Amino acid sequence: MTAELVRGQNHALPHTRVGIRVSAGKPVVAAATLADEDGRVPSTEWVAHPGQAALPGIEVSRQATADQRLTVDLDAVPPAVHRLTVLLALPMGPGSPVRFGSVAAPYIAVTGPDGDEIASYTITGLDSESAVVALELYRRQGAWKVRAVGQGYAGGLTALLTDQGLDRAGELAAVIQETVAPGMARTVGTPPARTTEVRHNAAAAAGGTAGDTGPGPGHSASPGPGSGPGAAADPQPPASTPPQPSPQTHDGSINYTHPRRQQPAAPPSPPPAAPHAEPGRPPTPVAGDATGWSLEERLYNQVWGMFEDLARTTAAYRSAVDFAESRLDQELDRALSDPRSRIAGAGDTAREAARAKHDELTERAREVLDRDLAQLIAESEVVEPALPPAFARWDSPVWHGYRVPMEIPMALRLGDLHLPERPELRIPMLIRLPLERGLWVDSGRGASEAASLMDEAQLRRRAMDTAVGHAVRLLAVYPAGEFTVHVIDPAGSAAASLAPLVGSGVLDGPPAAGAQGVTTVLAKLTQRVDLVQMAVRGGAADALPADLDTAEQLLIVNDFPHGFDDRAVTQLRYLSDEGPAVGVHLLMVADREDASAYGPVLDPLWRSLLRITPVPDDHLADPWVQHSWTYEPPEVPAGSDVLRLVLAQVAEARRTWRR
């Protein structure tokens, strides 16, 4: 039975090999300190963190994720260690929360070798704190215990590490944040808040396990305890395993959200009911089968639920396969080291048995994965045709009846994401509007195999075409007069790609060329950011100049850093950092190698932008388990006139609005 701890309470640990699961709703950094009998951490070498993930007896994640998994072997820690303290901190970066009070209360579970929870603790009462001591494992009279701590620090990771007795706490905190920054920069947005809404199939309703449950928004399609690869193959559940199911609800469905982490009731707008399914079969998928106030919000939550389901079920499968491989290696080593294996072919028999067990475990894991993927594919086939223009592909029939909207949608599709286990299962990549960070279309080769097959000029043209496609979609989903596009093209090399925007007359002005053009546009947008910031901070929004364009602003920059002097580069960095909060956004088309002369000066710029590519590339990560996802840019069908037709509608709406 799980002991649910409160702050200050302790509980004996029946095992010395334990796992620690952290579920925080938003990405967090996990670390651990090893302390002596006096509670002192001698040096930074006694701290396990993303830049130094493994120490004797403890291993932490190298990334900031919403679900963390720490593995602990208390028999392996040095004899001088008497206390192991688990720390959590919020990562720094664009769009990241700055205090725990703005996110769901972190949930911590200590599990045994069989995956069963020994003790759990929900850290409540946090507000301005951005780092917290979650719990500690400590020796007491030759035995180990766990204590719930929940001590938060408004001073962040530096203050926490200083309180642990480290002399160079600030330097270590900076190293930890720098280590996780690249992973955060490639993370696809922030998932919507979890709700208590659950989709379940007939097997679950009839008493099936979590592994029998069909995918649902905010809930894992991966196998839970008692079924699937997590139970069949791995006595320690994968890192992505969610908290244990809570009891059944009044209607017989199972709510898999931990009771202390459940959100308020879902919005009153109910999703459509799924058609009745035969016993033992998953329900027929329905578009909009999620919570939300409108169909658009329900579809958005459903897509993100599919995204999370695919991430978690794949994590469960990979964890089960890794365990099967590890078990095979151990059993083969045991067979080779056993003297009895040299007698009458006993060694061959043991090796065959080990391989047979390995094959059985991986096959069972694959069966569960295939079942979950089949359910997600069926759901995708009904969701995709129902998506509104902001969420739809360019080849969707919804564009044939396109009209300029009266309201801003809640999100925008930037392309598709998929994993190697099932490449044909594409998840729409939806990001919230207004944009929380700028976009960077990478025109360099990088490590992409597709990019390596193209010459430099072709790749740059493809990158600019991709940027123009994103700009057209942004113009299409905003009401008339509420979105303005500027273009900087210092050498005029993107004229062909920019032709649809220029010809339709939807730009704020002709593309800026030459050093003077760059200076003029950057000065105009920098001044706008300054004025709006001062007005917002002073509570005087009505004092803005009458001629100030209050629409959202998008600046497309081609061929950076050509045509940019040091002042222009500084202004661009300023727009990248401060612009999104006041409605000024960047859409950069650049090869990072071209700007290598600036060295680390531009590192914050690249990290502040969401990198996307003009060709398929596996550089993005999900916010839950940090899989590497292949990004597929949106493509306009060959011979299609959809961009011209959409821009014609936008241009006409803008002319009508100005009258």
Side-chain angles (χ1 to χ4, degrees), residues 623-648:
W624 302 284
V625 290
Q626 291 281 303
H627 288 317
S628 289
W629 293 73
T630 297
Y631 167 75
E632 294 270 358
E635 291 191 2
V636 177
S640 173
D641 235 5
V642 62
L643 294 190
R644 184 184 63 81
L645 295 174
V646 168
L647 287 173

Side-chain angles (χ1 to χ4, degrees), residues 47-112:
V47 182
H49 57 82
Q52 179 180 270
L55 292 179
I58 175 70
E59 184 172 358
V60 302
S61 172
R62 299 180 184 275
Q63 303 287 347
T65 62
D67 295 292
Q68 292 278 2
R69 169 80 173 182
L70 292 75
T71 56
V72 180
D73 184 356
L74 297 171
D75 288 334
V77 300
V81 173
H82 285 257
R83 182 178 302 167
L84 188 154
T85 305
V86 177
L87 322 173
L88 302 177
L90 294 172
M92 300 170 61
S96 298
V98 296
R99 59 189 186 92
F100 274 109
S102 63
V103 303
Y107 172 80
I108 320 294
V110 180
T111 63

